[in-house]
Amino acid sequence: MISIVIPVYNVEKYLDTCLNSIVNQTFKDLEIILVNDGSKDASGLKCNQWADKDNRIIVIHQENRGLSAARNIGIDRATGEYMMFVDSDDVVSNKICEILYNVLKNNDADLSICGTKHIFSENDCIFDSFYDKTYCFSAEEAICSLWYQSNFLPSAWGKLYKRRLFDNIRFTEGIIFEDIDIMHEVFYQCKKIVYNETPVYGYVHHENSITTNNYSKKDNIILNICDKITSFSSDKSDNLKKAAMSYNVTGALRVYLNAPDNTEYKDAVDKAKNILKLYGKKVLKDKNIRKKNKYALYLYFYCRPVLKLVYKKIDRWK
């Protein structure tokens, strides 16, 4: 019924914990696809060992091509009516499949989303009981929420999809932020999207994760994604256009505040400044923007010298 796609790359320390949480799901009708993306440690061997223990597990070994390519291979191989993505260094509640499936079916939706638990130590790996409150969105409402960053994360994980939503969509290979790059296209195909706040996906924070690494030129891709979002919204409703402007400002602030102050990053920073000049004051008047962005924009326009000092002290996960 549900195909779970798990890209695997050099995660021998975390893989057993992740897979224990998957194979012990209360929802049993699973196809678990492990895509070993050219791991250099014992991850590939561990994948094979797990497949020997559980006949629901399928292992695909390939040369290293990156997270997006691994997910795409998994999509191509999946046969379930529904599909999930799990990162191999994360952990999930043993009820995540049951909750996401029931919420989707009970609301006749095309896609369901759960809450996220941010895990900073092994002691945090205790999941809450079910929250009864479920929110229903149209495709447009969900995309607006995505771009305003107001409810759920843009991540591929933490969601249950009807597999047909990926019939004509694949992750862009070779980039970071690959989730936000396509998620609006996935959402746009849905008649209804449901979100239950129960935090049953455990996002584990590691010192070497993408979100904790220093800024690099790869991060500049967010500006290209902003261009893509602007193009997508250009012939859509005013609400989507406003939400797209808000996300453009989010991307521009990310580059402006984090890119090193040297010639190598000058073009990206200049583009970010142009976006802030074009959209910043309009977005500042939008009641839907995040408070963090509102504060940042005020400081950018009216007290710029202190912006970088203040902004980085605000916890991005709250």
Side-chain angles (χ1 to χ4, degrees):
M1 184 66 73
I2 298 176
S3 295
I4 303 178
V5 176
I6 308 176
V8 175
Y9 180 70
N10 291 352
V11 287
E12 63 176 323
K13 291 193 298 184
Y14 314 113
L15 188 58
D16 288 340
T17 301
C18 175
L19 292 181
N20 268 315
S21 71
I22 297 293
V23 300
N24 290 308
Q25 289 294 304
T26 54
F27 188 103
K28 301 298 184 184
D29 191 4
L30 304 176
E31 174 184 58
I32 303 164
I33 304 172
L34 305 181
V35 184
N36 175 34
D37 188 39
S39 295
K40 297 176 182 178
D41 63 3
S43 296
L45 177 62
K46 279 182 175 287
C47 288
N48 292 338
Q49 290 170 342
W50 273 96
D52 289 339
K53 291 188 291 185
D54 193 319
N55 61 13
R56 297 173 299 173
I57 294 178
I58 299 161
V59 180
I60 300 170
H61 297 282
Q62 65 175 28
E63 293 184 3
N64 180 246
R65 292 172 51 197
L67 175 62
S68 291
R71 284 179 178 164
N72 290 340
I73 290 291
I75 293 169
D76 293 341
R77 178 62 179 80
T79 61
E81 185 177 352
Y82 304 94
M83 188 163 59
M84 287 178 58
F85 300 99
V86 175
D87 284 356
S88 52
D89 56 350
D90 288 335
V91 62
V92 297
S93 163
N94 67 343
K95 293 185 177 179
I96 187 172
C97 292
E98 178 185 348
I99 288 173
L100 285 174
Y101 177 78
N102 287 340
V103 167
L104 185 149
K105 293 295 287 185
N106 292 342
N107 292 280
D108 192 25
D110 300 297
L111 192 159
S112 59
I113 306 170
C114 66
T116 302
K117 181 179 180 66
H118 293 281
I119 297 174
F120 296 91
S121 74
E122 292 181 5
N123 297 328
D124 294 334
C125 295
I126 299 174
F127 292 94
D128 296 329
S129 56
F130 179 70
Y131 296 177
D132 194 40
K133 184 65 175 176
T134 297
Y135 304 88
C136 295
F137 298 85
S138 67
E140 179 176 307
E141 290 168 341
I143 294 170
C144 285
S145 185
L146 185 74
W147 289 343
Y148 282 122
Q149 302 169 292
S150 58
N151 286 295
F152 37 79
L153 296 173
S155 55
W157 45 257
K159 299 173 176 65
L160 181 68
Y161 311 82
K162 286 187 175 178
R163 186 166 57 90
R164 65 166 179 78
L165 297 175
F166 285 89
D167 282 352
N168 299 303
I169 294 176
R170 293 293 184 271
F171 292 94
T172 303
E173 296 186 19
I175 67 169
I176 61 174
F177 310 125
E178 72 289 333
D179 314 88
I180 190 67
D181 179 59
I182 66 164
M183 200 53 61
H184 57 282
E185 297 174 11
V186 176
F187 281 12
Y188 197 65
Q189 300 177 79
C190 300
K191 291 182 179 178
K192 185 187 290 185
I193 294 168
V194 289
Y195 169 55
N196 183 280
E197 292 180 322
T198 311
V200 285
Y201 189 97
Y203 176 74
V204 182
H205 293 259
H206 303 289
E207 288 185 7
N208 61 345
S209 68
I210 290 173
T211 52
T212 56
N213 282 340
N214 292 329
Y215 194 96
S216 73
K217 292 192 77 172
K218 288 184 177 181
D219 291 78
N220 292 339
I221 194 67
I222 194 65
L223 298 178
N224 294 42
I225 293 171
C226 287
D227 290 340
K228 185 175 180 178
I229 284 171
T230 299
S231 177
F232 175 86
S233 65
S234 62
D235 60 349
K236 307 295 189 303
S237 70
D238 288 342
N239 286 337
L240 278 176
K241 289 175 183 175
K242 287 170 63 179
M245 279 195 291
S246 176
Y247 196 82
N248 268 261
V249 165
T250 297
L253 284 170
R254 180 183 178 89
V255 173
Y256 174 78
L257 290 165
N258 294 290
D261 186 17
N262 60 47
T263 55
E264 190 177 5
Y265 292 88
K266 185 179 183 303
D267 288 346
V269 173
D270 286 345
K271 183 173 181 178
K273 288 180 179 177
N274 286 334
I275 291 172
L276 292 168
K277 182 179 179 180
L278 183 63
Y279 298 134
K281 290 189 176 179
K282 294 178 183 177
V283 171
L284 195 51
K285 297 176 182 177
D286 188 340
K287 65 181 185 346
N288 294 310
I289 67 169
R290 296 173 73 193
K291 286 184 179 179
K292 186 176 181 180
N293 283 357
K294 181 171 285 190
Y295 299 150
L297 286 171
Y298 269 119
L299 292 173
Y300 181 82
F301 287 116
Y302 305 115
C303 196
R304 196 172 302 181
V306 303
L307 172 57
K308 292 186 180 182
L309 294 174
V310 173
Y311 194 78
K312 290 184 178 181
K313 292 184 182 296
I314 304 174
D315 188 345
R316 71 187 293 257
W317 301 111
K318 293 182 179 179

